[in-house]
Amino acid sequence: MMNKLGLILRGDMPKIQRLLSTATSPAKATSQSKPYIVGEPSGPTMKCEVPGPQSKSLLADLSKIQSMDSVHFFADYDKSLGNYIVDVDGNEMLDMFTQISSVPIGYNHPALLSAFDSPSAMRVLVNRPALGVYPGADWAQKLRDVMLSAAPPGLDQVTTMMCGSCSNENAFKLMHFKYMEKLREGRTFTAEEMESCMINQAPGTPNLSVLSFHGGFHGRTIASLACTHSKYIHKIDVPLPNWPVSDFPRYKYPLEENIRENEEEDNRCLALAEEAIANSGNNGCPITGVIVEPIQAEGGDHHGSNKWFQGLQQICKKYDIVYLIDEVQTGGGPTGKMWCHEWFDLEDSPDIVTFSKKMLTGGLYHKPELRPKQPWRIFNTWVGDPGKLILLDAVLKTIKKDDLLGNTLATGDILLSGLKDLESRFPQYLKNTRGRGTFCAIDCDTGARRDDVLAKLRSLGVHAGGCGEAAIRLRPALIFQPWHAHIFLQKLEDVLLAQ
């Protein structure tokens, strides 16, 4: 017997119209009435299951030389366009995961395809410099024109890196440098410090730590992995420093109906964080800084309130430690602001903000007082890639020209209200709708249901992602528009009706 989903795919069931509550309202609709990229498909088109035969064949070939069982399918990047990713079997899917939230303005955007048209831009690609020792003559100006034009308010120092993990690793170094500089009271390194650090012993290798939070994800290199607490498979069998971890708030939804309980949760978590910091010196491993995501993305799309983030900043100031906000997944506009922490009404800018993904280059912004006082301390061969700044420059100009932050806010309102509507009609399957901009998520009642919903969404031509125990996470590009939201909401409704 064909199941309900099969009936929907064949079109044998009557069409159920979406409720007016999820329709685009004139007040929220953007002025853009056409796709931002000409030629984008008008909707998903599915030719076979995903992964299809071509993807399976390519994975079998890849598996002969590389263990990468995480591959979902192989993409055809010549045919992918705008909000649609096309796989090698010809399936055109609305992409709401976008390479784990790292595609800023869609596939094959003309502004990016033309970014290397000039001979000078091509030479940047061909002659990749070791930027820490041999930068090009225009490098400082490029950093000002591109990186600092997008900098979080209050931060005027920037160092580019290759990825989010190495951005956080080097941010941790700045935390430790500050602490040790304060301890030394301005004196130079002693001979004992210089000799002992070469064999990873004190005093040259001090026992210091960074405070992180349950559910956080900050990377897969050693120090970043020590601060990661989302899935066991990331960490098991890897020797890591025994750094402290505290609780990130877990709210009850809807927020407006649980104000008192959620305020108590903020207070509880802030008290735990302060206790860990205050006691760290007595425990023989002083905490030099705190790392926190504006939204715990990999760990389940857990949000924190303004009070939570403001309170953390006040605690860091009280104990004179570094406040690092990891914007690797939230930075670059998906919450409707360039940086998610801009929503938090902080009394001052964070001390460090790390980034990657939609920014196309990794790196860290920081305050001037955190500049290392000696050369070679924040360094690697490449220290970023000037070619990525050429692409980012095109992205930032497109965001401004097309008001993509405004589009993200407007479309995000539609997406969030549609998810809330579905939650109200399918409470047995869905709960805890939350989001900022199009950076949205909703929980299923079980992890097995979430996995089933994602698989069936993909069979209907929508590629979304999961995170945490049972969350569906949505990470579309900044060119994701109201009608794309309606396509997704209708497909999700179809899947829920077939449960």
Side-chain angles (χ1 to χ4, degrees):
M1 180 185 295
M2 183 175 287
N3 62 24
K4 292 181 181 178
L5 185 66
L7 291 174
I8 290 173
L9 284 166
R10 280 178 39 194
D12 295 340
M13 290 182 68
K15 184 69 172 177
I16 299 175
Q17 297 298 319
R18 291 208 51 73
L19 298 184
L20 287 176
S21 62
T22 63
T24 311
S25 66
K28 293 180 179 178
T30 61
S31 59
Q32 180 78 14
S33 59
K34 301 181 296 185
Y36 286 105
I37 299 181
V38 176
E40 179 185 277
S42 59
T45 301
M46 301 302 291
K47 295 184 176 180
C48 64
E49 65 177 0
V50 179
Q54 288 297 318
S55 274
K56 291 177 180 177
S57 174
L58 289 169
L59 180 57
D61 187 41
L62 177 65
S63 296
K64 295 173 184 176
I65 56 173
Q66 184 183 88
S67 174
M68 201 57 66
D69 295 337
S70 53
V71 171
H72 289 174
F73 56 83
F74 284 75
D76 185 335
Y77 291 109
D78 289 331
K79 295 179 180 177
S80 298
L81 189 64
N83 289 282
Y84 286 82
I85 187 168
V86 180
D87 73 3
V88 291
D89 290 282
N91 296 302
E92 297 178 344
M93 292 171 279
L94 180 64
D95 193 356
M96 301 193 63
F97 199 39
T98 61
Q99 314 293 325
I100 320 177
S101 195
S102 63
V103 177
I105 56 174
Y107 296 103
N108 286 310
H109 195 291
L112 297 181
L113 291 178
S114 62
F116 294 103
D117 280 355
S118 71
S120 60
M122 185 57 66
R123 280 192 288 270
V124 169
L125 265 189
V126 172
N127 301 296
R128 183 180 178 184
L131 288 165
V133 281
Y134 311 112
D138 63 347
W139 181 234
Q141 196 59 48
K142 275 289 184 189
L143 289 174
R144 287 191 187 93
D145 292 346
V146 181
M147 301 309 307
L148 292 184
S149 74
L155 300 183
D156 64 357
Q157 304 291 299
V158 64
T159 301
T160 53
M161 287 286 163
M162 293 310 303
C163 66
S165 293
C166 60
S167 302
N168 285 327
E169 294 279 346
N170 283 282
F172 296 158
K173 289 182 184 179
L174 293 183
M175 293 177 176
H176 304 325
F177 295 166
K178 175 190 173 180
Y179 182 88
M180 294 306 296
E181 283 287 335
K182 183 179 178 181
L183 217 59
R184 289 192 186 96
E185 298 182 327
R187 69 166 172 79
T188 58
F189 308 129
T190 66
E192 184 184 14
E193 287 171 337
M194 290 187 284
E195 291 168 8
S196 61
C197 78
M198 299 305 293
I199 54 172
N200 302 329
Q201 298 293 315
T205 303
N207 192 23
L208 304 174
S209 63
V210 176
L211 179 66
S212 54
F213 297 94
H214 291 294
F217 182 94
H218 301 288
R220 295 172 184 261
T221 49
I222 295 300
S224 297
L225 192 58
C227 294
T228 289
H229 314 282
S230 50
K231 292 179 181 177
Y232 81 87
I233 199 65
H234 300 152
K235 297 171 67 90
I236 197 165
D237 294 336
V238 181
L240 297 170
N242 186 23
W243 286 358
V245 56
S246 194
D247 286 358
F248 190 96
R250 296 291 184 264
Y251 296 141
K252 293 182 178 180
Y253 290 84
L255 295 176
E256 61 273 13
E257 295 177 12
N258 295 279
I259 294 172
R260 180 179 58 81
E261 293 90 340
N262 292 336
E263 213 169 281
E264 290 174 354
E265 177 69 352
D266 279 339
N267 292 335
R268 183 186 72 83
C269 293
L270 288 170
L272 287 175
E274 181 164 13
E275 181 182 11
I277 294 166
N279 293 333
S280 64
N282 297 331
N283 296 335
C285 191
I287 290 171
T288 65
V290 170
I291 184 168
V292 65
E293 297 162 274
I295 301 169
Q296 286 190 326
E298 295 292 329
D301 263 39
H302 301 297
H303 287 243
S305 70
N306 286 16
K307 176 183 176 180
W308 159 251
F309 287 103
Q310 292 166 5
L312 270 184
Q313 184 174 54
Q314 290 161 7
I315 291 169
C316 289
K317 286 178 179 290
K318 178 179 177 179
Y319 292 92
D320 193 25
I321 63 174
V322 175
Y323 188 35
L324 161 55
I325 294 187
D326 177 347
E327 292 252 22
V328 166
Q329 192 157 153
T330 52
T335 68
K337 290 184 182 289
M338 199 65 193
W339 305 101
C340 186
H341 75 264
E342 292 182 81
W343 289 107
F344 300 154
D345 295 325
L346 299 175
E347 62 177 335
D348 187 16
S349 59
D351 299 306
I352 306 176
V353 172
T354 51
F355 58 88
S356 190
K357 291 191 181 281
K358 278 187 170 64
M359 292 292 285
L360 302 183
T361 176
L364 55 150
Y365 294 103
H366 63 87
K367 291 180 176 177
E369 53 265 34
L370 291 174
R371 287 170 63 112
K373 293 180 171 55
Q374 301 85 14
W376 306 101
R377 303 199 80 186
I378 301 296
F379 183 87
N380 55 51
T381 299
W382 304 122
V383 200
D385 181 349
K388 297 299 185 184
L389 265 66
I390 292 175
L391 293 173
L392 179 58
D393 186 35
V395 167
L396 296 175
K397 287 173 179 174
T398 301
I399 290 173
K400 183 176 181 179
K401 177 176 68 73
D402 292 338
D403 187 22
L404 294 185
L405 296 183
N407 172 70
T408 296
L409 284 174
T411 307
D413 284 347
I414 293 165
L415 192 57
L416 201 61
S417 64
L419 288 172
K420 288 178 178 178
D421 167 54
L422 290 172
E423 179 184 344
S424 71
R425 292 192 287 129
F426 298 94
Q428 70 274 37
Y429 304 140
L430 301 176
K431 59 184 178 179
N432 303 338
T433 301
R434 56 207 182 273
R436 289 185 186 270
T438 55
F439 202 102
C440 295
I442 192 166
D443 290 338
C444 292
D445 58 319
T446 66
R449 172 122 28 223
R450 184 270 311 277
D451 295 344
D452 180 67
V453 168
L454 289 175
K456 288 174 178 173
L457 275 173
R458 194 179 297 161
S459 74
L460 295 177
V462 173
H463 179 48
C467 62
E469 293 180 1
I472 296 171
R473 61 169 156 170
L474 307 179
R475 300 291 183 268
L478 303 181
I479 60 167
F480 187 78
Q481 292 168 272
W483 61 82
H484 299 117
H486 288 302
I487 291 171
F488 163 73
L489 292 167
Q490 183 64 65
K491 299 294 186 184
L492 179 56
E493 182 175 334
D494 289 345
V495 170
L496 295 170
L497 286 167
Q499 291 291 302

